[in-house]
Structure formats: C-alpha cells, structure tokens
Amino acid sequence: MATRIKDSIHAFEAAALMRLLPARPRLLALGEPTHGEDTPLEIRNELFRQLVEQEGYRTIAIESDCMAGLLVDDYVTSGRGSLDEVMKHGFSHDWGAYPANRELVRWMRVHNDGRPASEQLRFAGFDGPLEITAAASPRQALTALHGYLATRVDADLLPCTAETLDRLLGADDQWTDPAAMMDPAQSVGQSAEAVQLRLLADDLVALLDTQTPHLLTATSADDWDRARLYGRTATGLLRYHHWMADTSPARMTRLCAQRDLMMSHNLLAVAARGPAFIHAHNSHLQREKSTMQMWEGPVEWWSAGALVSARLGEEYAFVATTLGTIRHQGVDTPPPNTLEGLLYALPDDRYVIDAPRLATALGDTRPALRESPWFGYAPFDPAHLADTDGMVFVKDVLDVPHS
C-alpha cells in the first residue's frame, strides 16, 4: 500500500502545497479536524509565513469574531494597544489564550513595523460574534454602522436616530442570555422591537450601498470596508436571533446555516481585498455539506467553504488537515485500515498530500473512516479525498498548556 501512495506524498512546505493547485487561489483555506490544540495552529503559522515570503499572501483570516478581530488588525498594522490587551479582547472562543495565536500576532506586528500600508500583513476574524451557546447583541455593529453614516450623509436620509436604536435594542443581556439556545421562548429575536430593528438595519445597509460613490471620497477605503462589515454583522446577527426564537424542527439547521452564511460573506469580503490564507475547522471550509449531531437530532447544512467555492470556483482552494494521535485526549495510534493509519506508517512527522491523486491511487480500496474516542476530534472522511485540493498530515499532536 505504501508504494501506491508514494507519489501523493510531499514534503511539508507551502511550495509543495501550491504546486498541487492549478493557480494561486484568492482564498487558500486550511482546515483543522479539532479545536483547542496548538500543534495545528503552529502548522498554520509556519505555512502562513512561507506564503507571505514566497507567494505574496498578505492576509490571514481565522475562525474568530469578526468584530473583535478589528482590534487585532489595528495592532498588527499600527501598533495600537498592547499585545496582552489584543490577545484578551481581540479573539472569541478563548482563542487568545493559545501560545500559537499569540506568536502569530506578535510575528505579524514585527513584520509590519516600518513597512508601508501596501506591504503590511492584515488580520481578520471571519466568524460572527457567536458562541456555541449564545449570540452577541447586535448593538455594537448596528450603532457603529449608524455612527459611520450619521457623520457622512444628510441626516434626512437616515432611517432613524441613534436614540431610537438604543431604545429598541434595550438591555444587552436579553440578547446574550444563554438560555435562549436551549429554549426558543427565552429569545427576544422575534419580538416587535427585533422585527423593527431588522427593517432599520436593512435600511442602513441600503443607505450605505446607495451612498458608496460619496463615501469612498469622503472616507478611507478601510473605514468604508469596516462599515460594510458592521452592516453584514448587524443584519446577520438579527437574522440569527430571529431563528433562535424559532420553534420549528428546522431551528438548528437554520442557525448552523446562518452562521456559515455570515462566515461566507466575510470570506468573500476578504477575497475582494486580495489573496488570503484562511484557517478554521474542516467542517466550515469543506465543499460538501457539513453535519453535526445536536441535542435535537442530526443537522446538515452547507458550509462556508461550499458557499464560497460556489462563487469563486478555482479561486477557492480547500486543504484539510488530518491527525495521527492526540494522546492526551485519548486519540491513540490510528488503526492501519484507516487513512490516518496509512499515513501514520510513513516515517516523517508532517506531509503535504495530493488528495485527488491519493484517491486515484487507492482506487476501490477506500480506507475505513476512523472512529474518534473524543467528541472534539472529527476524523477526515476518506470518501471526500477527491473533492479536496490537498491535505496536511500531522503525525502527533502534543499537549501544550495554555495560560
């Protein structure tokens, strides 16, 4: 079997990965099969550095809050704030505690120091302001959009005042109540105020769009781009909260789909600025539908990667990461009849793999899907090898304590 897959295996380096692709993609997406481990993040950092130095990539976007990510981008481009503050407030999902994320931000700041804006690296979060059990209040995004427009367009064109928004938004804790995820009745997402806010958010985004020629002369391109982010986030969050209040059987499908839709809109906006390196869970970046077993039953939806790939075609590339062991989580040496087992038998610790070529080499001898003893690890499904542009294999994931 080893001789059949030999031609699909390459040294771990960005150049080998790029040779698998027909052209340099606008979005090069690297997935990971689990969260909470530093080794895949170190792999990401190493590839990003090589892509910057050898391929001209200038942006990295990760699965983190898009609004909080603005703090990180400000720090790496201008030095605004401190590294400690940015790691504390610039990431969602507690990602700021991971040493590899801290090293990424530190390295980007050092790289950018003294360089002109056109040569600087940029950072973006592309997830919505969402956690697994709660969603943020739309206040930050909605009021930021209103504030941007209020200082740049005729007041008569605004659909409402800032005071009206504040009254309709009410207390933020009613939006962020984690009980709403399990009980739709606890959500305010379909209240009369929420319905009115959705209309106003739509009107504010329409005003932003209709005033684009003026705004691009009256403000910087970065400020206008951020205003568009505010608009996407406000409308996306209000739609997410609407479905949190839903009582139909499709509730969780709609919530998962809405989150990935928000991700896809942010990724397309990143792509419009130039080539970018993307990092998130495999399930958010793959081209096929994503699935998850929830407390209400199985859920299936189109991933952000599937949505973006449908729009960008060959300008979107997806590279999955698969792992050998995560022993501190009970994921031990993979069985030899699995894809991970075949790769684990190879001598080196890390590889770049030509996934379609490997699928051809394996022919009808498809490896078994590996079973995971840990719910946080999702093994790669060998059935999707031919639909994946490439793979990265990491033999052993080491336990790294986080602060």
Side-chain angles (χ1 to χ4, degrees):
M1 181 64 72
T3 57
R4 294 172 61 186
I5 66 175
K6 180 180 178 181
D7 291 341
S8 306
I9 307 302
H10 305 278
F12 175 77
E13 58 183 14
L17 187 59
M18 297 300 287
R19 285 195 293 270
L20 303 181
L21 309 174
R24 184 180 74 166
R26 185 165 286 268
L27 293 183
L28 175 55
L30 176 69
E32 63 176 5
T34 185
H35 287 324
E37 301 297 332
D38 248 43
T39 301
L41 303 184
E42 293 168 355
I43 293 292
R44 174 205 64 190
N45 290 358
E46 186 172 344
L47 286 175
F48 181 54
R49 291 190 191 99
Q50 294 179 25
L51 289 168
V52 168
E53 295 164 358
Q54 302 169 16
E55 302 292 339
Y57 280 76
R58 291 288 179 268
T59 298
I60 186 168
I62 73 167
E63 184 185 340
S64 185
D65 180 348
C66 58
M67 296 289 288
L70 298 176
L71 298 176
V72 185
D73 190 54
D74 284 342
Y75 175 76
V76 299
T77 55
S78 68
R80 187 179 307 165
S82 70
L83 180 58
D84 286 342
E85 291 170 349
V86 166
M87 300 313 298
K88 183 176 181 180
H89 301 293
F91 293 82
S92 56
H93 315 314
D94 295 324
W95 295 157
Y98 288 79
N101 283 334
R102 186 182 184 91
E103 174 56 23
L104 171 69
V105 176
R106 187 205 64 79
W107 177 78
M108 291 178 70
R109 177 65 202 132
V110 170
H111 181 279
N112 284 345
D113 192 28
R115 294 177 186 263
S118 61
E119 297 178 10
Q120 288 192 342
L121 305 181
R122 302 294 299 270
F123 178 95
F126 70 90
D127 200 355
L130 306 169
E131 294 290 348
I132 191 65
T133 58
S137 164
R139 178 184 301 278
Q140 181 186 6
L142 199 51
T143 57
L145 175 60
H146 186 278
Y148 172 85
L149 291 168
T151 59
R152 294 169 175 86
V153 303
D154 192 318
D156 292 338
L157 295 176
L158 293 169
C160 65
T161 64
E163 291 73 21
T164 297
L165 286 182
D166 186 63
R167 174 178 59 81
L168 292 172
L169 284 162
D172 284 345
D173 58 7
Q174 68 178 338
W175 295 95
T176 58
D177 184 359
M181 179 56 74
M182 303 297 292
D183 181 6
Q186 302 302 312
S187 173
V188 297
Q190 294 187 19
S191 65
E193 292 81 2
V195 171
Q196 190 171 353
L197 284 168
R198 288 186 73 184
L199 293 173
L200 291 173
D202 183 69
D203 285 342
L204 287 168
V205 171
L207 180 59
L208 178 68
D209 289 342
T210 59
Q211 293 293 311
T212 293
H214 161 65
L215 293 171
L216 283 176
T217 59
T219 187
S220 70
D222 271 355
D223 285 345
W224 176 77
D225 198 48
R226 288 192 174 194
R228 295 175 67 228
L229 171 61
Y230 302 150
R232 292 193 304 272
T233 305
T235 55
L237 273 176
L238 286 164
R239 188 176 296 115
Y240 192 90
H241 280 288
H242 176 87
W243 291 123
M244 285 188 78
D246 182 39
T247 58
S248 77
R251 177 176 182 264
M252 289 309 303
T253 297
R254 285 170 169 150
L255 287 174
C256 291
Q258 174 59 22
R259 181 188 179 194
D260 272 67
L261 180 64
M262 292 173 71
M263 287 184 173
S264 72
H265 289 166
N266 287 332
L267 287 176
L268 289 169
V270 167
R273 295 199 318 217
F277 186 50
I278 313 301
H279 189 256
H281 198 282
N282 285 334
S283 63
H284 290 303
L285 301 177
Q286 63 194 27
R287 289 191 178 89
E288 60 273 6
K289 277 189 172 181
S290 296
T291 59
M292 183 182 295
Q293 182 66 36
M294 307 291 284
W295 57 88
E296 297 178 352
V299 178
E300 183 178 77
W301 72 98
W302 287 110
S303 71
L307 297 172
V308 171
S309 181
R311 294 280 296 275
L312 296 185
E314 287 190 351
E315 289 195 295
Y316 177 79
F318 169 54
V319 178
T321 297
T322 189
L323 306 172
T325 71
I326 319 173
R327 297 192 191 279
H328 55 280
Q329 299 290 2
V331 182
D332 293 320
T333 303
N337 65 328
T338 63
L339 175 64
E340 291 83 359
L342 291 174
L343 299 174
Y344 199 81
L346 298 171
D348 291 338
D349 292 332
R350 301 173 181 179
Y351 291 97
V352 165
I353 301 159
D354 186 334
R357 189 167 187 172
L358 178 57
T360 300
L362 293 173
D364 295 332
T365 312
R366 180 184 295 173
L369 176 62
R370 184 184 191 183
E371 294 184 6
S372 174
W374 176 43
F375 76 95
Y377 166 58
F380 181 81
D381 188 343
H384 300 310
L385 271 174
D387 302 317
T388 305
D389 296 300
M391 292 185 67
V392 168
F393 175 69
V394 181
K395 198 163 193 175
D396 298 295
V397 174
L398 304 178
D399 187 13
V400 177
H402 303 140
S403 58

